[in-house]
Amino acid sequence: MRNMGSLSKQPIREPNADNNNEENNEEDDDFNEDDTANEYAIEVLDHQLDQLSTCLDVLEQKNDELRAELMVLLASNQETKNQLRAEKEAINNQNDIDTVEQ
């Protein structure tokens, strides 16, 4: 086996690399501007997503509070219904007793 450690791994240059250097620099500048614009757009979107997440958290909390209030109201209505039913049965039982006694 040959020892490859002495060989350097430098990129292969094109014959006209020096002539294309200015064009590459201009393209790099365009890419840098595009990268900056993309980074800004990503930051804006990230901020908007944070705001949306906060709004959704608030809505979820309000929804949970409303659900809890509705459950209390439902339980109260069921209790009232059961009380009215019991009172009605008591009245009917009393009427049945009064009818039998006459």
Side-chain angles (χ1 to χ4, degrees), residues 28-47:
D28 288 345
D29 289 342
D30 289 342
F31 285 128
N32 288 337
E33 289 175 10
D34 289 343
D35 287 346
T36 303
N38 287 339
E39 287 174 11
Y40 178 75
I42 288 171
E43 287 178 20
V44 168
L45 286 173
D46 189 47
H47 180 70

Side-chain angles (χ1 to χ4, degrees), residues 12-24:
I12 299 172
R13 295 183 63 184
E14 296 178 20
N16 294 328
D18 293 333
N19 295 338
N20 293 330
N21 205 13
E22 287 183 25
E23 291 176 16
N24 289 338

Side-chain angles (χ1 to χ4, degrees), residues 7 19 23 26 43 50 53 59 78 92-94 98 100:
L7 298 176
N19 295 338
E23 291 176 16
E26 289 176 10
E43 287 178 20
D50 286 342
S53 179
L59 285 174
Q78 288 175 338
N92 286 341
N93 287 342
Q94 186 61 41
D98 289 344
V100 170

